[in-house]
């Protein structure tokens, strides 16, 4: 029998002794080494049991937006702009499907964290053998490195476009944003969430401006939301489509979300945890709705500004920056584009650093001082970026951004399959176990990810 996860929750006195729990008594002393990840923020945000529903919505609002920034990182820009300029609105269907899959998987992630008191990394460590856990940790670190590569390069590109800084200098400056994380978390987790929401609003405002002046053909955009079989048979289109999938459904976000939902001090009773799930899932779904808007806006901008005007090969972010103002006839277009890119990169590096900490603590049970943990995860991000620029040169940045997102897509099954397995296990979830319908949908999502990856591999090797 697979092990259960004793929840790391405080007993809710108001719930009464009659409340049924999904695992052994939460008042029991946790086992050695079973401390929560992000212990400095764990259950630090109060949730009033007697508050109105709007106050509860606000109390649980935040983690979803930290997760959402991973779905609008610079890796998305490269794939969305390339897809929009080359194929018009066709790949909008991939963005829509990817975001729906993301909403579903993030809901399962929040459910796991609230029901068991464990994040996904801790659940893997406690369920699988040591060698398997180590293998999953290595795969996850590769995914975080690929994601951080996109984020660091994206921020460096934005700094170059805005201020003319060399990419290498931009990478080093971007690496210092670890200090932002330290400064913000020292003031409380709510400050981090407020900072992230502010940057998301900045990105959304910039793209609303761009879309207004690009005059997209909305009828074609609506048609683009309908999936087409051509995507599966066109190797180049499929490559970008899988890049969009990898850029949208982030494997490290599943680990991140299952941990940061536990920053809320909800009660331990079944009723309280069920309520916490509802509000947490509402928060993540709403936040990912904003991510859907921004991802779609980037692709629509590429289609409206470039594809319909005959620019079918605008795959480089720098080229998009140079062309936007003259093509749209708006002087601010290029500057706002670069500002949004910088905000996106800063947002994503912040949450990527938190995810790296959660994964390291969850899989390896390594407890380091916060500044040292973040320095390590930031270094892991900077080194690949420095090597990439030094070896491949600045001209290959966008191609590497797209490649990083394809790598992320191939890492997805190693996070998705354990998540589905755990949330469908009654020994771990108790009465919060996934319904049969949810299990079927979950495995369909996992199968779709595997199918897309296998299809791309087949197309690549067939043409060699």
């Amino acid at each position: 029998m697979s092990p259960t996860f004793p929840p790391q929750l405080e007993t809710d006195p108001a719930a009464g002794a009659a409340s049924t729990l999904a695992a052994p008594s939460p008042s029991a002393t946790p086992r050695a080494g079973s401390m929560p990840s992000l212990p400095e923020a764990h259950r630090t945000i109060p949730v009033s049991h007697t508050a109105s529903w709007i106050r509860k919505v606000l109390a649980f609002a935040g983690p979803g937006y930290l997760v959402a920034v991973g779905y609008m990182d610079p890796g998305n820009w490269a794939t969305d702009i390339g897809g929009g300029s080359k194929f018009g609105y066709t790949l909008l269907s991939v963005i829509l499907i990817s975001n729906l899959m993301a909403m579903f998987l993030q809901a399962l992630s929040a459910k796991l964290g609230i029901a068991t008191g464990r994040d996904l990394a801790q659940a893997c460590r406690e369920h699988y053998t040591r060698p398997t856990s180590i293998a999953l940790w290595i795969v996850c670190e590769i995914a975080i490195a690929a994601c951080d590569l996109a984020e660091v390069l994206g921020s460096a590109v934005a700094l170059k476009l805005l201020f003319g800084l060399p990419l290498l200098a931009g990478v080093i400056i971007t690496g210092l944003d670890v200090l932002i994380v330290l400064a913000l978390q020292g003031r409380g987790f709510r400050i981090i969430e407020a900072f992230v929401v502010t940057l998301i609003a900045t990105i959304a405002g910039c793209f609303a401006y761009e879309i207004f002046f690009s005059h997209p053909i909305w009828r074609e955009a609506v048609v683009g939301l309908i999936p087409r079989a051509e995507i599966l048979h066109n190797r180049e289109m499929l490559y970008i489509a899988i890049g969009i999938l990898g850029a949208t459904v982030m494997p490290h976000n599943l680990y991140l979300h299952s941990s940061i939902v536990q920053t809320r001090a909800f009660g331990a009773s079944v009723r309280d945890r069920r309520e916490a799930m509802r509000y947490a899932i509402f928060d993540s779904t709403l936040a990912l709705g904003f991510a859907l808007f921004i991802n779609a806006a980037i692709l629509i901008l590429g289609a409206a500004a470039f594809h319909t005007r005959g620019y079918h090969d605008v795959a480089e972010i720098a080229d998009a920056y140079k062309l936007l103002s003259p093509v749209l006839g708006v002087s601010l277009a290029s500057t706002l584009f670069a500002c949004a890119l910088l905000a996106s990169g800063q947002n994503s590096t912040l949450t990527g650093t938190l995810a790296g900490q959660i994964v390291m603590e969850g899989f390896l049970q390594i407890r380091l001082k916060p500044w040292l943990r973040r320095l390590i995860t930031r270094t892991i991000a900077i080194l690949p970026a420095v090597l990439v620029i030094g070896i491949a040169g600045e001209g290959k940045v966008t191609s590497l951004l797209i490649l990083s997102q394809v790598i992320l897509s191939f890492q997805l099954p190693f996070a998705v399959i354990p998540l589905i397995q755990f949330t469908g296990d009654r020994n771990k979830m108790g009465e919060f176990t996934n319904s049969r319908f949810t299990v079927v949908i979950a495995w369909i999502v996992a199968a779709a990810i595997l199918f897309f990856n296998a299809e791309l591999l087949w197309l690549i090797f067939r043409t060699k």
Side-chain angles (χ1 to χ4, degrees):
M1 180 182 294
S2 57
T4 58
F5 300 152
Q8 302 163 342
L9 305 171
E10 297 171 2
T11 303
D12 176 18
S19 294
T20 305
L21 298 178
S25 172
S27 60
T29 303
R31 297 191 306 272
S34 64
M35 284 180 61
S37 55
L38 300 180
E40 62 272 20
H42 185 71
R43 299 179 62 77
T44 56
I45 299 174
V47 177
S48 173
H49 303 291
T50 58
S52 63
W53 69 269
I54 188 65
R55 287 187 176 275
K56 289 182 179 179
V57 166
L58 294 175
F60 281 94
Y65 293 90
L66 267 69
V67 169
V69 300
Y71 294 93
M72 56 183 85
D73 76 336
N76 296 60
W77 294 53
T79 53
D80 292 343
I81 290 173
S85 66
K86 194 167 191 65
F87 303 111
Y89 303 96
T90 303
L91 295 179
L92 274 175
S93 59
V94 178
I95 290 180
L96 176 61
I97 293 171
S98 297
N99 271 268
L100 292 176
M101 292 168 61
M103 291 175 183
F104 178 78
L105 292 174
Q106 293 299 159
L108 293 186
S109 177
K111 185 178 180 180
L112 175 70
I114 293 171
T116 68
R118 293 288 189 271
D119 61 56
L120 182 57
Q122 292 170 328
C124 288
R125 187 193 74 234
E126 296 180 1
H127 179 84
Y128 297 118
T129 63
R130 180 70 173 171
T132 301
S133 294
I134 293 295
L136 288 174
W137 169 71
I138 292 173
V139 167
C140 188
E141 289 290 358
I142 292 172
I144 292 175
C147 184
D148 281 349
L149 175 63
E151 293 156 358
V152 169
L153 287 176
S155 295
V157 168
L159 291 172
K160 179 181 180 180
L161 297 178
L162 289 170
F163 307 110
L165 292 176
L167 276 184
L168 191 57
V171 166
I172 295 172
I173 291 173
T174 301
L176 297 178
D177 60 15
V178 64
L179 301 176
I180 298 176
V181 181
L182 289 171
L184 291 176
Q185 191 155 354
R187 295 177 175 271
F189 205 75
R190 271 299 202 188
I191 298 297
I192 291 182
E193 294 173 346
F195 180 73
V196 164
V197 170
T198 301
L199 290 180
I200 290 176
T202 301
I203 298 168
C206 290
F207 274 106
Y209 180 92
E210 307 274 6
I211 291 294
F212 179 80
F213 286 101
S214 67
H215 303 295
I217 305 173
W218 292 112
R219 179 178 57 81
E220 292 187 11
V222 171
V223 172
L225 294 172
I226 302 173
R228 295 168 58 177
E230 178 189 2
I231 297 173
L232 298 177
H233 305 302
N234 184 320
R235 177 188 173 188
E236 193 172 3
M237 192 179 290
L238 181 63
Y239 181 78
I240 295 179
I242 292 181
I244 292 173
L245 177 64
T248 304
V249 186
M250 293 288 192
H252 72 276
N253 267 345
L254 301 177
Y255 294 94
L256 175 67
H257 200 191
S258 59
S259 174
I260 59 178
V261 291
Q262 298 178 57
T263 57
R264 272 54 184 173
F266 50 86
S269 71
V270 168
R271 181 196 63 195
D272 288 334
R273 281 184 284 164
R274 194 178 300 280
E275 181 181 66
M277 286 177 196
R278 285 201 305 271
Y279 286 113
I281 292 172
F282 176 80
D283 169 56
S284 64
T285 302
L286 182 63
L288 290 175
F290 283 104
L292 172 59
F293 163 76
I294 291 173
N295 285 333
I298 298 171
L299 190 139
I300 289 172
L301 181 64
F306 305 129
H307 183 79
T308 57
R309 291 173 168 84
Y311 298 96
H312 296 166
D313 296 314
V314 183
E316 298 288 333
I317 291 176
D319 292 340
Y321 170 82
K322 293 173 185 176
L323 287 171
L324 270 176
S325 284
V327 165
L328 299 182
V330 181
S331 58
L332 276 178
S334 294
T335 301
L336 289 179
F337 178 82
C339 288
L341 177 61
L342 181 60
S344 173
Q346 289 305 295
N347 240 352
S348 300
T349 51
L350 191 152
T351 56
T353 301
L354 290 176
Q357 175 183 339
I358 290 164
V359 167
M360 181 181 293
E361 292 179 353
F363 277 111
L364 304 183
Q365 293 182 283
I366 293 178
R367 302 287 170 180
L368 303 174
K369 292 185 179 296
W371 67 268
L372 183 57
R373 287 194 300 256
R374 289 173 174 78
L375 181 63
I376 292 172
T377 52
R378 195 77 267 133
T379 302
I380 293 173
I382 293 174
L383 287 180
V386 171
L387 291 174
V388 163
I389 294 172
I391 297 172
E394 296 189 1
K396 296 293 184 181
V397 168
T398 300
S399 298
L400 289 164
L401 283 173
I402 295 176
L403 176 62
S404 71
Q405 304 311 299
V406 174
I407 292 173
L408 279 173
S409 183
F410 281 99
Q411 310 303 318
L412 264 177
F414 298 100
V416 171
I417 291 175
L419 177 64
I420 297 172
Q421 181 183 5
F422 297 153
T423 53
D425 188 341
R426 184 164 293 276
N427 289 323
K428 296 174 176 58
M429 300 290 291
E431 62 182 85
F432 299 110
T433 307
N434 289 338
S435 67
R436 185 169 299 179
F437 176 76
T438 302
V439 170
V440 170
I441 296 298
W443 286 115
I444 289 175
V445 169
I449 294 170
L450 291 171
F451 172 78
F452 267 94
N453 291 344
E455 179 78 4
L456 177 64
L457 281 176
W458 185 75
L459 286 175
I460 290 173
F461 286 111
R462 187 189 66 174
T463 55
K464 285 189 174 182

